[in-house]
Amino acid sequence: MTATSAAPATSGAQQATSVTMAKALNMGLRAAMEADPKVLVMGEDVGKLGGVFRITDGLQKDFGEHRVLDTPLAESGIIGTGVGLALRGYRPVCEIQFDGFVFPGFDQIISQVAKVTYRSQGVWSMPMVIRIPFGGGIGAVEHHAESPESFFCHIAGLRVVSCSTAADAYWMIQEAIASPDPVVFFEPKRRYWEKGALDTATAPQTTFSAAVRREGTDCTVASYGPSMPVLAKAADAAAAEGRSLEIIDLRSLSPLDLEPVLASVRKTGHLVVVSEAPRESSITSEVAARVTEEAFYSLAAPVLRVAGFDTPYPPSRIEEEYLPDLDKVLDAVDRSLAY
Amino acid sequence: MTATSAAPATSGAQQATSVTMAKALNMGLRAAMEADPKVLVMGEDVGKLGGVFRITDGLQKDFGEHRVLDTPLAESGIIGTGVGLALRGYRPVCEIQFDGFVFPGFDQIISQVAKVTYRSQGVWSMPMVIRIPFGGGIGAVEHHAESPESFFCHIAGLRVVSCSTAADAYWMIQEAIASPDPVVFFEPKRRYWEKGALDTATAPQTTFSAAVRREGTDCTVASYGPSMPVLAKAADAAAAEGRSLEIIDLRSLSPLDLEPVLASVRKTGHLVVVSEAPRESSITSEVAARVTEEAFYSLAAPVLRVAGFDTPYPPSRIEEEYLPDLDKVLDAVDRSLAY
Amino acid sequence: MAPERWIKSPGADTLPDAGPGSAAVPSASQMVAGLRATSQGEGLVELLSPEGVLTPHPDYPLDVTPELLRDLYRDMVLVRRFDREANALQRQGQLGIWVPLLGQEAAQIGAGRAMRPQDMAFPSYREHGIAWCRGIDPTELLGIFRGTDHSGWDPKATRFHDYTIVIGNQVLNATGYAMGQRFDGKVGSGGPDAENTDEATIVFFGDGATSQGDVHEGMVYAAAFDAPVVFYCQNNQWAISEPVEKQSRVPLHKRALGYGFPGIRVDGNDVLACLAVTRWALDECRSGNGPVMIEAFTYRMDAHTTSDDPTRYRLADETEAWKMFDPIERVRVYLTRSGGADQAFFDGVQAEADELAARFRAFTVAMPTPGPERMFSHVYTAPHHQLDRQQAEYLEYLAGFEGDAESGAGGTVNGHAGATAGGAR
Amino acid sequence: MAPERWIKSPGADTLPDAGPGSAAVPSASQMVAGLRATSQGEGLVELLSPEGVLTPHPDYPLDVTPELLRDLYRDMVLVRRFDREANALQRQGQLGIWVPLLGQEAAQIGAGRAMRPQDMAFPSYREHGIAWCRGIDPTELLGIFRGTDHSGWDPKATRFHDYTIVIGNQVLNATGYAMGQRFDGKVGSGGPDAENTDEATIVFFGDGATSQGDVHEGMVYAAAFDAPVVFYCQNNQWAISEPVEKQSRVPLHKRALGYGFPGIRVDGNDVLACLAVTRWALDECRSGNGPVMIEAFTYRMDAHTTSDDPTRYRLADETEAWKMFDPIERVRVYLTRSGGADQAFFDGVQAEADELAARFRAFTVAMPTPGPERMFSHVYTAPHHQLDRQQAEYLEYLAGFEGDAESGAGGTVNGHAGATAGGAR
Ligand SMILES: Cc1ncc(C[n+]2csc(CCOP(=O)(O)OP(=O)(O)O)c2C)c(N)n1
Ligand SMILES: Cc1ncc(C[n+]2csc(CCOP(=O)(O)OP(=O)(O)O)c2C)c(N)n1
Ligand SMILES: [Mg+2]
Ligand SMILES: [Mg+2]
């Protein structure tokens, strides 16, 4: 279940051969559509516009209007008709335009997408992907900067993943589309335009697993998606101060791939979990609880969390106050090591 | 924030003066409607039928059709029009017929109910109560036995509570209705017909706080709602084996009232958290994470969880397998004490 | 042109005048509100009147043979028989709950028999008659109601989807499936054997369901994508305790006008009309002119479910009135009058019904309870390490009880697991 | 009677034939799909033609005085002026985003001026013209778009609710508010001064929004509870990149037929028609005959927002064509021809517009950024111990930075908090 990826979160940003995460997702979708004629892309404005983030740019032009569907403006409709298309043998890739707009489709996700297979005792599989650009830091208005991943981690029947590099974006979206189970795919919109190295030749065995991004000995710091570059910076800053951080990209939020985290904690004795999501009853709560259950005697300090506050997402002019940043991560590391 | 209630979860079940939780809720609603003409009850079948559980029995007859509204069959409509009624100065008490049917209203809850006050910088308050009969153990079909409380604990702007006794039901529903903030009120449907002592004369200071139901010294066991009677039985069984359990009813799930739990853990060094909700990214994850953060050195063992499995709610013939029960709780206590 | 106006009949308004007590004793007029609100409005399609008079319909031709009538009669009698048996079984504690179709036999058999083998159906939770027409044995319905599982037939092979309990969900799922039929080139193909190869979908929902956002979105998507789907609304006048007028001011089939596709109201207690209209609608969809909405105007003769108590919200008068429109009786009368069937036939169907009921009952009481592993199976199609581990740990935990006399798997026994420290004791 | 059928014009179907490349070069016909799909259909209500010809309407009487025309003209010019200024400010990095109303001035000023002081409005996010009519200073709109807050005016005092971004949500909220107006006895009271005391609600949404379940449920609830709410749909032909035909086969106002209340299509670029029809609709609601739906047929002349690039999905031809229907120009022409205004008036309005723009700009650049405590304020109305603690801990953490030269509150600086063990360094 474990893959150790050499690719650091932001390396290759200056390489000529590198691509943006947005481009990598577009390439991954294209590859999946070429490989399987049953793969459909559907959502609001995914056609001529190519989506508001251009992730589906050019796909309707090349695959036609019956494989890239501009849907009416209704998210329950996107998910609910996607369920029917999946029952018919298609592999719908549903785009939710922004994190805050998945909720009209929440009922179909929890009542049908997640339960159809269980209800039918396996007669139906549900090969659907729900793509959600998520997280803050883009100076947007309300409902455009949320981190709803914890809701989906609490829903049995779904798989939840998030990519943090261009290479992962390319491979993970393809692995998600190939999955016979529904996958909620969280894309860190703030990182869409950051570049990373991409080698399309050699496919990794799996990308739905935690990846150790940097080895270290003093404290383990784990996160996913938009915060990974923050962790990379923190590791550099800490190194400058003579502290060695082990950086882990969870990638699979549900199910959690905890082995690499546990192995790391047995080594460092300290764990800080980072996420933009509000703290209460969240993915960070789960990581803290599980790691404590399974590595109790290894922990020299409680698992500390750097997370969003338990408030609605604030106005964008003060969103930096809300978001995990270098200082907050280093402060948490300090507090952990001070135990 | 702390109240120590003498009322044990199931005592008084044989008393003549006792009432069922269903009756206590009905009495509490009636008292609130008599006290404030702005209090409305709305939902599916809450009128002549009195709700499928008869919690609103007789209210339409006595308060009229414009205070007890049979709504069209649409939950987003129940919540969304409830928001508008609250803006107009009413205090809507919205009934969701069963736990599994709150999700069509999820978007209105997260996007409007929870955010209207923040968005308007306090111009609007949102005095809405959303009543949800929840939990399993009643031999029902799919979608009628779920425990969705963790979703709501993750939503900033909401308060989440659950009652476990007739007395609490009576007082908590009134405290919820009096709250200027939205309250999601979880009613353990399996316990509706269990009786408990009710003294309507003396109002407690607050019921939105954790209550120590039984003092003990060896291990703390915390839960809420439907599992409280299980904890009471466990404490008896443990006592027979010479083990002293401290039983805590969380009552307020968001915000958590942790002081009584922390005080207890400092005494016992052991904590088991019990809930029917699936385990992943849940209320039990949060309790485990928070208690470990705040009482790390007091814990002789990791916080252990007895929770629902990470599956959809199973067919009712095997729901006993799924539900926390006496054995599972005692087993967790054993495992904790064996650390 | 002047806008159509909506002016409330004076006095009809109970608000805000309605004070305490207004809802004390439901009046008959309140109680038959459901009928009042919808029995107005022109153009109810009917072929066989309650009195058993057959009148062909110009728009919905149907070749009414004695064989056809006998088959439909038999279907309705058998379906009603096992429905009543299930109700009885629930009363005797053999089922956790039952959802009766009593009164809706014609609405369901007519629609079910209009389907072609290649068509797909998405039911709600009351469509036992449609299940019957799709070749599902009635005993396969029992798992849901006895609580041994969440479904019980092969929805793919039978082209009859699992029951959907969350009101309205299936309407969007059906629309998506129908979109897929179209994308597959199975609609309006103009192929040689099109009527046997081209496909359509039909989705079933109730009068109350029409208020749900999902039903609206299903109609929006179906119109936008020209999906070959028939929206079949069984207006049985009640959504548990709420009469249909709580959901709509106007007949429900008029909703279709707002989306730009046909909406037809059919006498839901007339099996011939339901058959003819549904066949027409499915063929419209099949040939590319979908979607179509049908409102089958019928009545829920029994309680909402065995858990419900209709005496709290509707008058016996109302139910009595509807008995005169019984869907089976009018066919029996016509068959007798027209000589389409003799007493031997009716006796034969009765005997067959009794056999079915006996087999149904015997099956029910013998149904096995699944083991704990069912809880973990089919949550995912691919392996899932976290769930596999939860299952392994739980089975190991259960194993700790073995040999413990008092205990059984998952029972709430007092002696507990020996698989742990507790085992020392 | 024979059912209305929906038969696709042959060849219109691009599916499933549409293969790769089919969507390569959008044809003009594809591009004006939105117009095509909706400009058909009879009964567009118009009082002042694009050419500036005034024709009274029998059903929607309006006393058209020079004063009225001058006021409406002024409103539209001023609103357009600050809308353009906001667009420019965004381009210059002073606003994070702007949502232009260009082209919809008449639809909004007409509706806004039809409202009485006691009426309540629920906007979407583009209703700057309605805000203007409710007496909200344009600068109060800026907080949302500069990102200093999520709203900026007093929604209770102005009876203009906060902007709602989640498409469709506000339609249900407005319906609930209108139900409350009725429960309060403020509808059809028959009181002496009813037109000044009885109330109505108006809710604004777009053509795309009509597909959302919430909009449907709002109409269902409004009909069921006779709520005094006007559903005002600004059909500006586009939902970002999707033409209205992706949402509906038929004109949107026809949706009202399915619910049993009036649906009216008005020329949304004719401020007089919008005023007359909206006033009629609000009064219908006020007097107890609500709800009413209005489709204002207009056009989004600019991008969806400043983040959007319309050249990717619609042709300049289309926008050019609509310039001939400009809502302001026709009023100017009529005022000039009819002698209702002289050059001095027009110059005066222009000068006033420039002043407003200057004040608007000056205000924008001077807007303060809130402190970190805003993040925690007003999440709840009552005290909340958990949040109070999070705020206290965070402010203490920030205090740890004080005196740290490089740092600022919450900045991503390299030196970090001294409030903790880290402070040792
Ligand atoms: C979303 C949702 N809300 C509430 C319920 C509870 N419920 C079950 S059946 C029913 C009434 C349905 O009425 P109708 O649509 O007319 O169908 P009928 O039962 O009459 O066939 C309700 C409210 C549900 N199953 N799903
Ligand atoms: C529930 C939801 N889904 C998606 C969006 C993203 N979005 C913002 S505006 C818009 C198009 C709205 O079109 P329309 O209703 O016609 O209003 P207009 O913008 O044209 O005024 C979309 C899809 C949203 N805000 N809310
Ligand atoms: Mg019904
Ligand atoms: Mg629009």
Side-chain angles (χ1 to χ4, degrees), chain C residues 5 13 182 226 284, chain D residues 5 8 13 182 249 284:
Chain C
R5 294 177 72 187
D13 193 348
R182 183 140 169 279
D226 303 318
E284 279 290 288
Chain D
R5 294 177 72 187
K8 296 218 68 185
D13 192 349
R182 183 142 168 278
R249 289 172 165 185
E284 278 291 287

Side-chain angles (χ1 to χ4, degrees), chain A residues 120-205:
Chain A
S120 69
Q121 296 152 60
V123 173
W124 299 120
S125 62
M126 188 43 58
M128 175 189 288
V129 177
I130 301 171
R131 292 182 41 241
I132 306 180
F134 81 121
I138 63 165
V141 295
E142 206 183 352
H143 309 291
H144 291 69
E146 301 180 0
S147 298
E149 59 271 26
S150 301
F151 293 115
F152 300 94
C153 293
H154 187 58
I155 301 175
L158 303 178
R159 296 176 189 266
V160 184
V161 303
S162 184
C163 55
S164 74
T165 71
D168 276 356
Y170 177 79
W171 294 115
M172 288 177 82
I173 190 66
Q174 292 181 72
E175 187 168 350
I177 293 169
S179 167
D181 297 313
V183 177
V184 186
F185 194 91
F186 283 96
E187 303 172 0
K189 65 170 91 82
R190 179 171 29 146
R191 308 298 179 189
Y192 272 150
W193 314 117
E194 292 178 10
K195 291 187 161 188
L198 173 58
D199 161 17
T200 60
T202 51
Q205 199 214 346

Side-chain angles (χ1 to χ4, degrees), chain D residues 72-135:
Chain D
L72 296 171
Y73 175 84
R74 173 177 171 276
D75 286 335
M76 292 194 288
V77 169
L78 293 182
V79 165
R80 179 176 290 187
R81 187 67 179 82
F82 80 72
D83 178 72
R84 295 298 83 199
E85 194 66 25
N87 236 54
L89 282 161
Q90 192 280 337
R91 295 287 175 234
Q92 294 151 18
Q94 292 296 333
L95 297 180
I97 190 173
W98 181 250
V99 183
L101 62 54
L102 192 70
Q104 300 176 223
E105 296 86 355
Q108 294 192 18
I109 296 301
R113 289 304 176 197
M115 292 180 70
R116 292 180 170 279
Q118 71 270 25
D119 295 335
M120 179 71 182
F122 284 77
S124 176
Y125 42 75
R126 199 184 293 278
E127 278 65 64
H128 319 316
I130 307 299
W132 171 263
C133 297
R134 297 310 282 171

Side-chain angles (χ1 to χ4, degrees), chain C residues 116 177-178 250 265-266 347 366 372:
Chain C
R116 292 180 171 279
Y177 189 94
V250 293
R265 167 176 282 185
V266 60
D347 296 343

Side-chain angles (χ1 to χ4, degrees), chain A residues 111-112 115-121, chain B residues 142-143, chain C residues 150-151 163:
Chain A
S111 302
Q112 301 307 326
K115 293 190 173 79
V116 160
T117 300
Y118 190 69
R119 183 180 301 132
S120 69
Q121 296 152 60
Chain B
E142 205 183 353
H143 309 290
Chain C
H150 293 320
S151 187
Y163 277 0

Side-chain angles (χ1 to χ4, degrees), chain A residues 107, chain B residues 44-45 73 75 97-98 100-101 104 144, chain C residues 99 104 124-127 165-168 205-210 212 234 236 238-240 300 304:
Chain A
D107 177 45
Chain B
E44 295 152 6
D45 308 291
L73 206 177
E75 287 73 12
Q97 203 161 72
F98 282 91
F101 307 138
H144 291 69
Chain C
V99 184
Q104 300 177 222
S124 176
Y125 42 75
R126 199 183 294 278
E127 278 65 64
I165 289 174
V166 181
I167 300 292
F205 54 97
D207 44 293
T210 59
Q212 281 285 9
Q234 288 175 82
N236 63 6
W238 293 91
I240 306 186
R300 197 195 77 210
H304 170 69

Side-chain angles (χ1 to χ4, degrees), chain D residues 53-185:
Chain D
V53 177
L54 181 64
T55 319
H57 193 289
D59 303 313
Y60 311 102
L62 184 69
D63 179 15
V64 184
T65 65
E67 293 67 27
L68 175 66
L69 285 161
R70 285 196 299 268
D71 290 349
L72 296 171
Y73 175 84
R74 173 177 171 276
D75 286 335
M76 292 194 288
V77 169
L78 293 182
V79 165
R80 179 176 290 187
R81 187 67 179 82
F82 80 72
D83 178 72
R84 295 298 83 199
E85 194 66 25
N87 236 54
L89 282 161
Q90 192 280 337
R91 295 287 175 234
Q92 294 151 18
Q94 292 296 333
L95 297 180
I97 190 173
W98 181 250
V99 183
L101 62 54
L102 192 70
Q104 300 176 223
E105 296 86 355
Q108 294 192 18
I109 296 301
R113 289 304 176 197
M115 292 180 70
R116 292 180 170 279
Q118 71 270 25
D119 295 335
M120 179 71 182
F122 284 77
S124 176
Y125 42 75
R126 199 184 293 278
E127 278 65 64
H128 319 316
I130 307 299
W132 171 263
C133 297
R134 297 310 282 171
I136 288 159
D137 189 88
T139 57
E140 295 182 89
L141 302 170
L142 285 163
I144 298 169
F145 301 101
R146 191 169 165 96
T148 58
D149 221 313
H150 293 320
S151 187
W153 54 92
D154 183 330
K156 207 183 266 180
T158 59
R159 296 191 177 230
F160 182 73
H161 190 54
D162 310 293
Y163 277 180
T164 298
I165 289 174
V166 180
I167 300 292
N169 277 183
Q170 76 278 15
V171 176
L172 275 167
N173 305 153
T175 299
Y177 189 94
M179 286 161 63
Q181 290 174 315
R182 183 142 168 278
F183 298 164
D184 288 346

